Amino acid sequence: MAGLEDLYREIILDHYRNPRNRGELEVPPATMTEGFNPLCGDEIQVYLQVTDGTISEVRIGGQGCSISQSSASMMSTAVVGKSIDEARDVLRQFKEMMSIHEHGLEGDDAAPADDRPGASGLGDLEALRGVVKFPVRIKCATLGWNTLDQALVLSEAGSPTE
Amino acid sequence: MAGLEDLYREIILDHYRNPRNRGELEVPPATMTEGFNPLCGDEIQVYLQVTDGTISEVRIGGQGCSISQSSASMMSTAVVGKSIDEARDVLRQFKEMMSIHEHGLEGDDAAPADDRPGASGLGDLEALRGVVKFPVRIKCATLGWNTLDQALVLSEAGSPTE
Amino acid sequence: MDTEVSGKPPVGTFDVAALKAEFPLLQREVHGRPIVYLDSGATSQKPQAVLDAMDRYYAEINANVHRGAYHIAERATMAVESARASLARFLGAPSAEEVVFTKNATESINLVAHSWGRTNLAEGDVVLLTMLEHHANIVPWQQLAAERGVEVRWIPVDDQGRLDLANLDALLHGVRLLAVTAASNVTGALPPIRRLADAAHAVGATVLVDASQWVPHQPTDVTGWDADFVAVTGHKMLGPTGIGALWGRRELLDAMPPFLGGGSMIQNVTVDGFTPAEVPTRFEAGTQPIAEIVGWHAAIDVLDGLGMEAVAAHECDLTEYALRTLADRFGDDLAIHGPAGVVADGAVVRGGTLSLAYRDVHPHDLSQVLDQHGVCVRAGHHCAKPLMKVLGVNATARASLYLYNDESDVDALADALADAGDFFAS
Amino acid sequence: MDTEVSGKPPVGTFDVAALKAEFPLLQREVHGRPIVYLDSGATSQKPQAVLDAMDRYYAEINANVHRGAYHIAERATMAVESARASLARFLGAPSAEEVVFTKNATESINLVAHSWGRTNLAEGDVVLLTMLEHHANIVPWQQLAAERGVEVRWIPVDDQGRLDLANLDALLHGVRLLAVTAASNVTGALPPIRRLADAAHAVGATVLVDASQWVPHQPTDVTGWDADFVAVTGHKMLGPTGIGALWGRRELLDAMPPFLGGGSMIQNVTVDGFTPAEVPTRFEAGTQPIAEIVGWHAAIDVLDGLGMEAVAAHECDLTEYALRTLADRFGDDLAIHGPAGVVADGAVVRGGTLSLAYRDVHPHDLSQVLDQHGVCVRAGHHCAKPLMKVLGVNATARASLYLYNDESDVDALADALADAGDFFAS
Ligand SMILES: Cc1ncc(COP(=O)(O)O)c(C=O)c1O
Ligand SMILES: Cc1ncc(COP(=O)(O)O)c(C=O)c1O
């Protein structure tokens, strides 16, 4: 059985208590995209400044639980300075890590196939792997990322406002 | 437990095999009222000729099971020649006989409080008392009567056509 | 499964006596006789495994779903989602997200009529039905017709209660929706769904299949049908009452507005309005029939265990036995509405739904006498009044066979019929 | 029961420990600890008697209702109708024919919005809601607003999460429907229904009461409320999932068109159209949740056995104990949304629904830590996002008490809260 320590790794609590890139950016030139977790009420704003195809600045607003907040904070540090394509790559890897496998859905305990840290090359984000054992919290962990996904589409479309 | 003989009394089968007052009347001067049993598909037409406040002629059309057909046949003989008020009286008495009592609804066997023949003064119609033991069939037995009820309203309203 | 080309399925391989023993109700007596349940067309009996699954759900993980972070709520949520995945697979649906839970097939069809229908159909548009339809696939369209001026048109049936497709092309003119049953609940007829879907799609129409009477009895492949919407109901396929589903093509569902409004179907709500959730949640307002979803899942497991090919084969054999037995014993005294044989032109054209007309005994009376023998058959219009009119009757006595029935049940029916004949002849 | 004048009910008289023993799920362990179920506001647990009633139904009389003449179909039909009679009595309804079965309270409210609403409300008409409402009593009216140009207006709440009725008269101007909850699922507040109904009727408005969170906990008297429609749901009152009901005044129901179309709700169907059946059948299309109706009946029997006065008294005492205990142990670290006390001005003004804010621990995290202690509370917006906005939060952790809870459950909650504080402070 998964214990609390699988979920609340130290680095997660650190990002929760000291969120990185918290705040707003001026829109325009930045874009703002809003995401909701309709189940629990968490909401998040992702401000994105893309300069010459590179994510030059990210800011995170909104309210949420430790998992959604820390995941968004970690996301912001993971993508800033990256090109849109590189950011998409991290996004894809992260979502893969979060996807529950069939046996996890049906069995008593949802255990991902490979939970050795570092297996995916996601760095600090690996700490969120434990969330998979708490399927209800996966939506918390992915909230910021799904919002980033939309934000990237918006930025690419070149539309300066939402 | 109620057996088939409680339901299919001889007089009922007789009215079924030899329905009285079967047919149609010309509308106007008569009225025609149609009734449906939405559950089983039975349908009935009651043609009523009221002359000087008296039911001078009744005809029954339609299709149905032995219970609905014989009950309608017996109804026709019971009300012909009666005033509208007298017909209403028979109607009321018959419906009373058909109403299931609370304990009947809840218990294993639906047995009416008093099933001695002749107890109600309904004459031949008493034969239909056994239907109460087969609650699903009550709607069959009352179809013709409910249609008569509407037919009487129609006749009284003096409207010559439906 | 394409009924037009596959012909008679291979012989079934399960032990009916052993299977019967798993259904508590089939062990009962009625009026001192062993029950002979021949009304599965109305609702099927439930195996112990289905009852156990629901009891276990209530005893172990009962909690409201999609909203709680605690352990049992998580388990309950997973139970619902794994049932959705199982049902999707059972129906041959490409994705579990295309499966919307409803309370019954009736609600499924109403959902389409309200959400898709009121968005896509305007005055003068034609909804094409067939004369085989159940009221569930008639009344919602008549409501729309009355409200919107949509035209309802009908594919006729021939003298065997099968669709008459001679004028299909003409009938399809102007049609926006074809809504057709995959199996008649009166005549047992199995319309050629793929052929109808192809013809409808050729004129740009959308296709809704009422599969209430198909899914319990035959392997289902909504993709093979090339249907757009498929309505199913749990209680006719060993599942509990209170649960059904709508399968719909993703693109269609995505474009549809919500139907029922309430909890869970929203993304956000403010005093100014709401944003709907994604599918399938968008169409699942309020607390779902959770235990029923779990019970339905167990029912699907039972059907999977038997194999739907084997179920179909068993019923096919049994229906042939029934047709033969009844013809042998009653000759012209007994008429059976619907296709005369199980197989025609190399295809299975009827299921085990036998609508009987026995001498001049009214169906209601017939069913009453049969009941004294423990034989349960349904008498009435079977919620198909337009078809009744075509068949020239107000009602039929309907015996409908299912996987737990065997030749002894058919024999009991025949014996009871003979007795009913004596009773009303006397 | 008029909450404004009756004051605190007499002390309850049932043995909670013995009662708890009748609920299989409450005997379970979670994460190695005995389960402490404090999420009855989401769904209640079910006593063995309810599970047994449904199993018995399936094992003994399972058949489709209102259509069969055979013995078990007759028994099933009677079971449904006697449940209807029992529910009517339980609600204080004048007649069983005014009780329509639905799948949940959400469907009940949607039924009113579609059938009564689309017949009676036109552009510019006002539907008056309160800021306490659950999405189930918001979204259907917003759908109508978007479709018809109906105006949705809101009765505000004060800082204790209670209705602020200071401007009621002005708010009622132009109102055709008042739709109000009898008990908030977030703050536990119990609005003065009779007073609101009188005020609404004075301006000719119709009154719908969402009694989902009231009926499980207090004696109900729809006549005493002078309501016009009352929506209830079975799964929150010891009953199974998949069943709810709408009570409506006979004159209103009689004048309403059908909502869902299909089997059973018709008088006649031809190719040209249909004639609807009488109420309540008119609103019960398709196969009903029969086993669920039977299970609900058994739940009502259990509640009747305890006596709703006793249930209310027990919960009243327990809520006071909880408010006291939490205040003593956590002081300002813990805030509870909603009315500060159970009784105010001689009336019971809140139920045992406690929406907690504990330090700066997010409700979702709080509920996760509590779960490790076996304590089940719900975290989220509780399908009341407009109210959340007023309360200035995105979510709360909600502990909701029911008849099987006792002081030990409250103590376990307090212990778990203390531990959560430690965990997130570390
Ligand atoms: C106040 C209130 N109204 C309506 C509902 C909806 O009930 P259901 O989900 O059973 O339709 C709920 C419960 O979720 C509720 O708490
Ligand atoms: C062909 C057909 N369609 C639809 C239905 C409706 O199913 P339900 O009553 O479960 O909604 C039935 C069964 O009654 C049926 O036989």
Side-chain angles (χ1 to χ4, degrees):
Chain A
M1 205 185 56
L4 279 185
E5 60 289 355
D6 290 309
L7 187 62
Y8 297 113
R9 301 263 167 94
E10 199 39 59
I11 188 160
I12 293 180
L13 291 176
D14 176 54
H15 272 270
Y16 178 45
R17 294 197 187 105
N18 312 295
R20 326 293 201 261
N21 301 306
R22 180 99 196 150
E24 302 185 3
L25 293 175
E26 200 184 333
V27 180
T31 60
M32 191 279 274
T33 311
E34 203 160 16
F36 293 98
N37 181 337
L39 304 177
C40 70
D42 283 6
E43 54 186 50
I44 208 155
Q45 292 95 36
V46 172
Y47 294 85
L48 218 59
Q49 178 63 55
V50 177
T51 318
D52 299 336
T54 295
I55 298 172
S56 51
E57 284 197 271
V58 188
R59 289 290 182 285
I60 307 291
Q63 297 183 38
C65 67
S66 60
I67 303 300
S68 73
Q69 293 291 294
S70 62
S71 182
S73 167
M74 291 162 102
M75 178 271 281
S76 72
T77 62
V79 300
V80 75
K82 292 217 158 59
S83 73
I84 289 190
D85 278 352
E86 288 165 345
R88 284 233 167 84
D89 218 50
V90 183
L91 177 66
R92 193 187 41 71
Q93 280 183 56
F94 181 78
K95 298 263 290 191
E96 233 159 55
M97 182 170 85
M98 284 296 126
S99 72
I100 328 179
H101 308 284
E102 192 67 17
H103 81 273
L105 247 183
E106 310 236 318
D108 206 352
D109 264 353
D114 182 357
D115 62 359
R116 280 166 302 141
S120 71
L122 281 169
D124 278 3
L125 287 167
E126 281 293 335
L128 286 162
R129 190 181 283 282
V131 174
V132 181
K133 296 181 186 168
F134 298 82
V136 171
R137 305 303 292 275
I138 293 176
K139 289 223 159 85
C140 310
T142 54
L143 177 61
W145 296 81
N146 288 334
T147 313
L148 171 71
D149 200 356
Q150 291 170 43
L152 292 174
V153 173
L154 187 65
S155 295
E156 257 186 341
S159 157
T161 54
E162 214 209 0
Chain B
M1 204 185 54
L4 279 186
E5 60 289 354
D6 290 309
L7 187 62
Y8 297 113
R9 302 262 168 94
E10 199 41 58
I11 189 163
I12 293 180
L13 291 176
D14 176 55
H15 272 269
Y16 179 45
R17 295 195 187 105
N18 312 294
R20 327 291 200 262
N21 299 307
R22 180 99 195 149
E24 302 185 2
L25 293 175
E26 199 184 335
V27 180
T31 61
M32 191 277 274
T33 310
E34 204 161 15
F36 293 97
N37 181 337
L39 305 176
C40 70
D42 283 4
E43 54 186 50
I44 208 156
Q45 292 96 35
V46 172
Y47 294 85
L48 217 60
Q49 177 64 54
V50 177
T51 317
D52 299 335
T54 297
I55 299 172
S56 51
E57 283 196 274
V58 188
R59 289 289 182 285
I60 307 292
Q63 297 183 38
C65 67
S66 60
I67 304 300
S68 73
Q69 293 291 294
S70 62
S71 182
S73 168
M74 290 161 101
M75 179 270 282
S76 73
T77 62
V79 300
V80 73
K82 291 218 159 57
S83 73
I84 290 190
D85 279 352
E86 287 166 344
R88 285 234 166 83
D89 218 51
V90 183
L91 176 66
R92 193 188 41 70
Q93 281 184 56
F94 181 77
K95 297 265 289 194
E96 233 159 55
M97 181 170 86
M98 284 296 126
S99 72
I100 328 179
H101 308 283
E102 192 66 18
H103 84 272
L105 246 182
E106 310 236 317
D108 207 353
D109 265 351
D114 181 359
D115 62 357
R116 281 167 300 141
S120 69
L122 281 169
D124 276 5
L125 288 167
E126 280 292 335
L128 286 162
R129 189 181 282 282
V131 174
V132 180
K133 296 180 185 170
F134 298 81
V136 173
R137 306 303 293 276
I138 292 175
K139 289 223 159 85
C140 309
T142 53
L143 177 61
W145 297 81
N146 288 334
T147 313
L148 171 71
D149 200 357
Q150 291 170 44
L152 291 175
V153 172
L154 187 67
S155 294
E156 255 185 343
S159 158
T161 54
E162 214 209 357
Chain C
M1 195 176 92
D2 191 332
T3 53
E4 284 161 292
V5 300
S6 66
K8 190 173 157 181
V11 175
T13 51
F14 56 86
D15 175 348
V16 183
L19 180 65
K20 220 174 202 174
E22 292 174 28
F23 289 76
L25 190 134
L26 300 180
Q27 316 312 313
R28 307 274 304 171
E29 296 200 336
V30 174
H31 303 307
R33 313 242 198 155
I35 197 164
V36 177
Y37 188 74
L38 296 174
D39 195 20
S40 298
T43 197
S44 77
Q45 295 307 330
K46 324 300 173 195
Q48 190 62 43
V50 168
L51 309 190
D52 289 347
M54 292 192 285
D55 284 346
R56 223 163 35 233
Y57 164 79
Y58 281 124
E60 298 178 8
I61 61 168
N62 174 60
N64 216 325
V65 303
H66 290 304
R67 300 183 198 166
Y70 54 89
H71 185 68
I72 60 169
E74 192 170 282
R75 293 285 303 277
T77 303
M78 283 178 184
V80 167
E81 294 313 316
S82 89
R84 195 192 304 277
S86 173
L87 178 59
R89 186 195 36 71
F90 192 76
L91 298 177
S95 153
E97 293 178 355
E98 296 175 342
V99 172
V100 176
F101 286 116
T102 61
K103 69 174 170 176
N104 53 25
T106 302
E107 185 190 348
S108 305
I109 297 169
N110 278 271
L111 195 171
V112 177
H114 277 266
S115 175
W116 183 89
R118 281 165 176 75
T119 310
N120 290 281
L121 299 178
E123 187 164 348
D125 284 342
V126 178
V127 172
L128 183 60
L129 307 178
T130 87
M131 292 300 296
L132 291 179
E133 300 313 310
H134 185 280
H135 293 164
N137 203 22
I138 297 175
V139 177
W141 309 114
Q142 292 184 331
Q143 289 175 294
L144 197 58
E147 189 186 314
R148 290 287 175 95
V150 166
E151 180 193 337
V152 172
R153 196 180 286 163
W154 305 80
I155 298 179
V157 293
D158 64 19
D159 55 2
Q160 284 196 33
R162 298 169 54 178
L163 292 188
D164 172 357
L165 300 177
N167 294 317
L168 183 59
D169 289 347
L171 285 168
L172 278 168
H173 188 78
V175 168
R176 295 291 312 278
L177 177 77
L178 168 68
V180 56
T181 185
S184 162
N185 69 319
V186 175
T187 67
L190 306 175
I193 297 299
R194 178 59 192 248
R195 177 178 161 199
L196 288 165
D198 286 348
H201 286 147
V203 300
T206 297
V207 175
L208 178 146
V209 179
D210 173 2
S212 305
Q213 297 281 355
W214 171 277
V215 176
H217 304 288
Q218 303 275 351
T220 304
D221 180 3
V222 300
T223 310
W225 273 341
D226 202 22
D228 298 302
F229 295 110
V230 174
V232 295
T233 201
H235 68 95
K236 293 188 204 282
M237 51 187 286
L238 311 186
T241 52
I243 186 66
L246 174 72
W247 168 80
R249 267 187 210 286
R250 184 68 194 244
E251 318 85 80
L252 293 173
L253 293 177
D254 276 343
M256 281 157 57
F259 172 36
L260 302 180
S264 303
M265 49 66 74
I266 56 95
Q267 174 95 253
N268 194 20
V269 178
T270 71
V271 291
D272 299 319
F274 72 96
T275 327
E278 297 297 302
V279 300
T281 327
R282 184 187 303 165
F283 302 110
E284 295 179 344
T287 303
Q288 292 301 293
I290 307 171
E292 292 72 14
I293 290 171
V294 169
W296 198 7
H297 192 173
I300 291 170
D301 285 346
V302 171
L303 293 173
D304 274 337
L306 297 171
M308 288 309 295
E309 296 283 353
V311 168
H314 166 66
E315 291 184 28
C316 186
D317 288 347
L318 190 59
T319 304
E320 288 190 327
Y321 176 78
L323 293 174
R324 211 162 51 231
T325 303
L326 295 173
D328 286 353
R329 289 190 56 175
F330 303 101
D332 289 345
D333 274 354
L334 186 81
I336 299 180
H337 300 284
V342 174
V343 178
D345 302 332
V348 176
V349 295
R350 75 129 62 237
T353 301
L354 308 172
S355 263
L356 313 171
Y358 184 55
R359 294 196 196 155
D360 61 353
V361 183
H362 188 280
H364 223 137
D365 293 315
L366 196 57
S367 133
Q368 191 86 55
V369 177
L370 264 48
D371 178 52
Q372 293 292 318
H373 290 256
V375 176
C376 308
V377 304
R378 177 126 314 203
H381 53 62
H382 315 299
C383 300
K385 291 197 87 172
L387 178 58
M388 289 289 121
K389 196 134 209 167
V390 175
L391 298 177
V393 294
N394 275 21
T396 73
R398 182 189 70 181
S400 47
L401 306 168
Y402 201 19
L403 38 73
Y404 38 62
N405 292 122
D406 56 21
E407 299 189 354
S408 78
D409 296 323
V410 172
D411 294 341
L413 168 66
D415 291 345
L417 278 171
D419 195 54
D422 295 345
F423 186 87
F424 284 99
S426 67
Chain D
M1 195 176 93
D2 191 333
T3 52
E4 284 163 292
V5 300
S6 64
K8 190 173 157 180
V11 175
T13 51
F14 56 87
D15 174 347
V16 182
L19 180 64
K20 221 174 201 174
E22 291 174 30
F23 289 75
L25 190 133
L26 300 180
Q27 316 311 313
R28 307 274 304 170
E29 297 199 337
V30 174
H31 304 307
R33 313 243 198 155
I35 197 164
V36 177
Y37 188 74
L38 296 174
D39 195 20
S40 299
T43 197
S44 77
Q45 295 307 330
K46 325 299 173 196
Q48 191 61 44
V50 168
L51 309 190
D52 289 348
M54 292 192 284
D55 283 347
R56 223 163 33 234
Y57 164 78
Y58 282 124
E60 298 179 7
I61 60 168
N62 173 60
N64 215 324
V65 303
H66 289 305
R67 301 182 197 166
Y70 55 88
H71 184 68
I72 61 170
E74 192 169 281
R75 292 285 302 277
T77 303
M78 281 178 184
V80 166
E81 294 313 316
S82 89
R84 195 192 303 277
S86 173
L87 178 59
R89 187 195 37 70
F90 192 75
L91 298 176
S95 152
E97 293 179 356
E98 295 175 342
V99 172
V100 176
F101 285 116
T102 61
K103 69 173 169 178
N104 53 25
T106 303
E107 186 190 348
S108 304
I109 296 169
N110 278 272
L111 195 171
V112 177
H114 276 267
S115 174
W116 183 89
R118 282 164 176 76
T119 310
N120 289 282
L121 299 178
E123 187 164 349
D125 285 341
V126 178
V127 172
L128 183 60
L129 307 179
T130 87
M131 292 301 296
L132 291 178
E133 300 313 310
H134 184 280
H135 295 165
N137 202 22
I138 297 176
V139 178
W141 310 114
Q142 293 184 331
Q143 289 176 294
L144 197 58
E147 188 186 315
R148 290 287 175 94
V150 165
E151 180 193 338
V152 172
R153 196 181 286 164
W154 304 80
I155 298 179
V157 293
D158 64 20
D159 55 3
Q160 284 197 31
R162 298 170 54 178
L163 292 188
D164 173 357
L165 300 177
N167 294 316
L168 183 60
D169 288 348
L171 285 168
L172 278 168
H173 189 78
V175 168
R176 296 292 311 278
L177 177 77
L178 169 68
V180 56
T181 186
S184 162
N185 69 318
V186 176
T187 67
L190 307 176
I193 297 299
R194 178 59 192 249
R195 176 178 162 200
L196 288 165
D198 286 347
H201 286 148
V203 301
T206 297
V207 175
L208 177 147
V209 178
D210 174 1
S212 305
Q213 297 281 356
W214 171 278
V215 176
H217 304 288
Q218 304 274 352
T220 304
D221 180 4
V222 300
T223 310
W225 273 341
D226 202 21
D228 298 303
F229 295 110
V230 174
V232 294
T233 201
H235 68 94
K236 294 189 203 283
M237 50 187 285
L238 311 187
T241 52
I243 186 67
L246 174 73
W247 169 81
R249 267 186 211 286
R250 184 67 194 245
E251 318 84 81
L252 293 173
L253 294 177
D254 277 343
M256 281 157 59
F259 172 36
L260 303 180
S264 302
M265 49 65 73
I266 56 94
Q267 174 96 252
N268 194 20
V269 178
T270 71
V271 291
D272 299 319
F274 72 96
T275 326
E278 297 297 303
V279 299
T281 327
R282 184 188 304 165
F283 302 109
E284 295 179 343
T287 303
Q288 293 301 293
I290 307 171
E292 293 72 13
I293 290 171
V294 169
W296 197 8
H297 193 174
I300 291 170
D301 285 345
V302 171
L303 293 172
D304 274 336
L306 298 170
M308 288 309 296
E309 296 283 355
V311 168
H314 167 65
E315 291 184 29
C316 187
D317 287 346
L318 189 59
T319 304
E320 288 191 327
Y321 176 79
L323 292 173
R324 209 162 51 231
T325 303
L326 295 173
D328 287 353
R329 289 189 56 175
F330 302 101
D332 288 345
D333 275 354
L334 186 82
I336 298 180
H337 300 285
V342 175
V343 177
D345 302 331
V348 176
V349 295
R350 75 128 62 235
T353 301
L354 308 172
S355 263
L356 313 172
Y358 183 55
R359 296 197 196 156
D360 60 353
V361 182
H362 188 280
H364 223 137
D365 294 315
L366 195 58
S367 132
Q368 191 86 56
V369 178
L370 265 47
D371 178 51
Q372 293 292 319
H373 290 257
V375 177
C376 308
V377 304
R378 176 126 317 202
H381 53 62
H382 315 299
C383 301
K385 291 197 88 172
L387 177 59
M388 290 287 121
K389 195 133 209 167
V390 175
L391 298 177
V393 294
N394 274 21
T396 73
R398 182 190 69 182
S400 47
L401 306 169
Y402 201 19
L403 38 72
Y404 36 63
N405 292 122
D406 57 21
E407 300 189 353
S408 78
D409 295 323
V410 172
D411 295 341
L413 169 65
D415 291 346
L417 278 171
D419 195 54
D422 295 346
F423 186 86
F424 284 99
S426 68

